[in-house]
Amino acid sequence: MTSIDALAARLRAAIGSSRVLTDRQELRTYECDGLAHYKVIPALVALPATAAQVAAVVRECAAAGVPFVARGSGTGLSGGALPHAEGVLIVTSQLREILDVRPDDERAVVQPGVINLQVTKAATPHGYYYAPDPSSQQICSIGGNVAENSGGAHCLKYGFTTNHVTGVEVVTPDGESVRLGGLAPDVPGYDLLGTFVGSEGTLGVATEVTVKLTRLPEAVRTLLAGFASTDQAGAATSAIIAAGVVPAAIEMMDALAIEAAEAAVRCGYPAGAGAVLIVELDGPAAEVDAQFDEVSALCVEHGAFETRIAADDTERALIWRGRKSAFAAVGRISPDYIVQDGVIPRTALPEVLRRIGEVAAEHGVRVANVFHAGDGNLHPLVLFDDAVPGQAERAETVSGAILELCIEHGGSITGEHGVGVDKATFMPRMFSDADLDTMQLLRCAFDPDGIANPGKVFPTPRLCGERPGRRQGTHPRHTPDVAEIF
């Protein structure tokens, strides 16, 4: 009996035989997350239904020295939930109960498998909603949102997941259940909660999350503006923010992204547009009305040849339909694509978009641009056909060049998708060895044995106990060809 077989037997005894998968065909269901470019079949899959069962699985992994990876809905786009070939994949999707909705405290307490949009549906009858809204909000889970510090279109005004989580119950890598934060807005001492949110599963597994609820706004108004170019749309974006207006969202799509959305959902965006802006304002009715007139005028002033105002919720949903479907929609115009995620200063949008177009042309691939224009969070979609020899490699080159452009312009390699495995090699472009060593010291404080989601975030495994600083000689995990040095 192998060590994995022995572990599987112990897990069946701990959580039930039906909750442990070892059949290879069943395991293949979990070989990737939303970034299907990377695939690894896990040694086994555990399907706990309670927090106690999650803790039991982690304790068994710790006792056996077997790595584990936590997975929610599997919608991540950085390979953050990519399984470990010799480890356990802990799927939290069956922990899907909304435990409490407390409108008087403006809080909800949920399990990690609860779908993002379900929180809003539970809170709406009380006059509240959950503000972070990834495009995948109909299927992504709160646990995954916490792991990746997910964003969304309306995070320009309301902030990311970390701004809306006040407490978590966490199973640490040794199997102990601890609470960080709670119902209160803040707690004294070190910000361990802030450390955990966005840690990509490297510090433990969330089994309960307390989130803030936001009061439904009195008024919401949505505008769609068509421009001849992304330069004009970018200039309008900067002008809106410079005027002191902070919309709930400002989203931009270029001509290729519009083409894909029209093919997929017939959203009816302005014909011939080189770019569209979706601008949404919310808040007190008088304030929204005043700001909306100003936003409309600024769009026209910067070249908008057509503007549309949603008359009701149905028209508002139609405007958003094209944007929310953009990632999947490009499948209508390309058999394969890479979704990228980087951040640049808002003022650099015109220059960076031009450079992306030039790099794409140099390598013979197309790039559709969809992004949160208000905060400079780019989501270029690099289109290619994997059946054509060399195209996948050229697409990877363009994808990497886009991240280099983000760094070059003072931005970041990720805004909301996380680092995962996809961008780990770019971490040294942003951070020094000393920075990465400091991060590793923190990671080791939570996970001294390095079993929680290993191989993610850091470009080269750093062993707990290694002396920080510049290394000499061959890394111990590089010797047996376990890790590549970048």
Side-chain angles (χ1 to χ4, degrees):
M1 179 182 291
T2 68
S3 59
I4 290 295
D5 290 336
L7 177 59
R10 292 195 297 275
L11 291 180
R12 290 189 180 101
I15 68 173
S17 297
S18 64
R19 299 190 178 282
V20 180
L21 308 181
T22 56
D23 178 78
R24 186 171 178 82
Q25 292 307 310
E26 291 180 315
L27 296 177
R28 289 195 65 183
T29 303
Y30 302 93
E31 66 184 0
C32 66
D33 60 8
L35 187 66
H37 188 66
Y38 299 97
K39 296 180 179 180
V40 174
I41 298 175
L44 62 88
V45 170
L47 303 168
T50 66
Q53 289 184 350
V54 173
V57 172
V58 174
R59 280 196 299 271
E60 292 293 348
C61 289
V66 172
F68 66 85
V69 176
R71 172 191 169 111
S73 295
T75 58
L77 294 169
S78 65
L82 187 73
H84 192 289
E86 299 175 354
V88 176
L89 187 69
I90 303 174
V91 181
T92 62
S93 58
Q94 295 193 28
L95 282 79
R96 50 176 177 258
E97 185 178 351
I98 296 177
L99 302 172
D100 197 7
V101 177
R102 306 176 62 154
D104 290 344
D105 294 319
E106 298 187 324
R107 298 287 185 272
V109 183
V110 306
Q111 291 185 317
V114 169
I115 300 303
N116 177 291
L117 191 59
Q118 289 177 343
V119 182
T120 287
K121 289 180 177 179
T124 297
H126 305 283
Y128 287 87
Y129 73 110
Y130 181 60
D133 61 336
S135 294
S136 58
Q137 67 179 146
Q138 296 185 27
I139 52 174
C140 66
S141 66
I142 293 297
N145 292 171
V146 169
E148 302 294 344
N149 189 24
S150 301
H154 292 82
C155 290
L156 170 63
K157 180 175 182 178
Y158 292 103
F160 288 71
T161 297
T162 190
N163 303 111
H164 297 268
V165 173
T166 63
V168 291
E169 180 185 80
V170 176
V171 175
T172 61
D174 61 0
E176 180 184 1
S177 292
V178 300
R179 286 190 176 274
L180 307 176
L183 292 170
D186 198 6
V187 294
Y190 294 117
D191 186 12
L192 298 179
L193 175 63
T195 299
F196 184 82
V197 178
S199 60
E200 304 194 28
T202 61
L203 305 182
V205 184
T207 53
E208 183 183 293
V209 184
T210 302
V211 300
K212 292 180 183 177
L213 299 178
T214 301
R215 173 69 71 176
L216 288 167
E218 180 184 0
V220 179
R221 298 193 69 184
T222 307
L223 174 141
L224 174 70
F227 296 84
S229 68
T230 55
D231 281 10
Q232 290 180 337
T237 299
S238 294
I240 291 168
I241 302 296
V245 178
V246 182
I250 307 182
E251 299 290 294
M252 190 190 300
M253 299 170 64
D254 71 3
L256 196 53
I258 296 168
E259 177 189 340
E262 291 291 351
V265 299
R266 296 183 176 88
C267 46
Y269 287 167
V276 294
L277 277 186
I278 300 172
V279 185
E280 187 157 281
L281 299 171
D282 66 9
E287 176 184 293
V288 168
D289 289 343
Q291 290 184 340
F292 202 81
D293 291 341
E294 186 174 10
V295 167
S296 298
L298 287 169
C299 285
V300 172
E301 180 183 329
H302 287 83
F305 63 84
E306 181 178 340
T307 60
R308 300 178 193 168
I309 300 170
D312 51 34
D313 286 344
T314 300
E315 290 189 7
R316 178 185 174 224
L318 183 60
I319 287 175
W320 277 108
R321 189 180 180 192
R323 169 61 186 90
K324 292 284 187 178
S325 68
F327 286 5
V330 295
R332 295 295 188 100
I333 63 173
S334 177
D336 302 285
Y337 60 93
I338 297 171
V339 180
Q340 200 44 275
D341 165 50
V343 183
I344 58 173
R346 210 168 29 245
T347 53
L349 277 172
E351 180 182 352
V352 171
L353 291 176
R354 281 195 296 272
R355 285 290 298 127
I356 289 174
E358 292 168 2
V359 171
E362 290 169 9
H363 291 83
V365 299
R366 297 181 298 166
V367 176
N369 288 290
V370 181
F371 50 95
H372 310 310
D375 55 14
N377 187 185
L378 305 178
H379 293 310
L381 300 153
V382 185
L383 314 182
F384 67 100
D385 186 347
D386 201 24
V388 178
Q391 271 205 13
E393 291 75 15
R394 294 200 299 275
E396 286 281 1
T397 299
V398 171
S399 179
I402 291 171
L403 294 183
E404 294 285 5
L405 281 171
C406 291
I407 296 170
E408 178 184 324
H409 286 80
S412 169
I413 60 174
T414 180
E416 56 187 347
H417 293 174
V419 177
V421 294
D422 187 45
K423 301 175 186 173
T425 59
F426 289 89
M427 287 290 277
R429 312 291 204 273
M430 282 195 68
F431 301 103
S432 68
D433 283 347
D435 293 331
L436 295 172
D437 282 333
T438 301
M439 294 181 200
Q440 182 66 2
L441 289 172
L442 176 62
R443 181 175 184 172
C444 289
F446 282 79
D447 182 23
D449 294 327
I451 62 171
N453 209 10
K456 311 297 169 56
V457 182
F458 295 99
T460 301
R462 282 169 159 78
L463 307 180
C464 295
E466 279 190 80
R467 181 180 178 181
R470 187 178 298 277
R471 274 161 293 281
Q472 295 181 337
T474 305
H475 191 283
R477 289 193 181 174
H478 185 245
T479 303
D481 294 327
V482 173
E484 183 178 355
I485 298 294
F486 294 95

